[in-house]
Amino acid sequence: MISRTPLTLLASAAVIPLTALALASCGGDNGNSATASSPPPKTASGKSATLGVESTSLGKILDDGQGNTLYLFQADSGTKSNCSGACATNWPPLTSANPTVGKGANASMVGTTKRSDGKTQVTYNGHPLYTFQGDSNPGDTSGQGVNAFGGLWYAVSPSGQQVTGSASNSSGGGSIY
């Protein structure tokens, strides 16, 4: 019989969620439909999303009005999103037909685009916007510089450009999928 200390059990428990996240994203569906286990988007359909600006270790970046960091995906083509299926599960698109602008964001840069699933995704300076399931708390930037689903992910500056610095609270830059 194997004897396990509480520390060993704790370490094992910490590995299981990371393994499950990695496995859930492998070989994903490239179709347009979400799976039943997909988390709901950060903003409910039809509800207005508010783009704001927050100060983080990366500098000033866009957030969704609730402190969740907004990211762009380098694999997107202009305003066309190339993130669906497992990608959209891990990087939920910010969807709203009526986005609003909070303090620090530039109203002239806010727009929308139709996704392949028919939902309306918010754009900023022509970039479709996403949150990241790996960000646990407002102000987290764990998705910064991550290479996943065929491209790099970056926080967005108030000027509408990608932020290329490294996040202090993540291992940033590595491929997790």
Side-chain angles (χ1 to χ4, degrees), residues 27-149:
D29 171 19
N30 287 332
N32 297 331
S33 63
T35 62
S37 63
S38 297
K42 296 284 184 180
T43 304
S45 178
K47 185 177 177 188
S48 180
T50 300
L51 298 172
V53 174
E54 65 179 298
S55 293
T56 68
S57 60
L58 297 172
K60 291 187 182 280
I61 61 172
L62 291 182
D63 72 8
D64 67 354
Q66 297 178 18
N68 299 305
T69 299
L70 293 173
Y71 297 92
L72 62 80
F73 184 34
Q74 281 192 329
D76 285 344
S77 302
T79 60
K80 182 183 181 312
S81 172
N82 286 313
C83 178
S84 62
C87 178
T89 298
N90 289 285
W91 299 87
L94 182 67
T95 57
S96 175
N98 303 304
T100 58
V101 179
K103 185 176 181 183
N106 184 336
S108 68
M109 291 188 180
V110 178
T112 60
T113 187
K114 281 288 186 199
R115 293 180 50 77
S116 58
D117 62 6
K119 294 180 181 174
T120 303
Q121 185 169 2
V122 180
T123 63
Y124 193 82
N125 195 29
H127 301 290
L129 299 175
Y130 307 84
T131 57
F132 179 49
Q133 288 297 310
D135 287 344
S136 303
N137 299 302
D140 282 356
T141 56
S142 303
Q144 178 65 9
V146 168
N147 184 356
F149 299 101

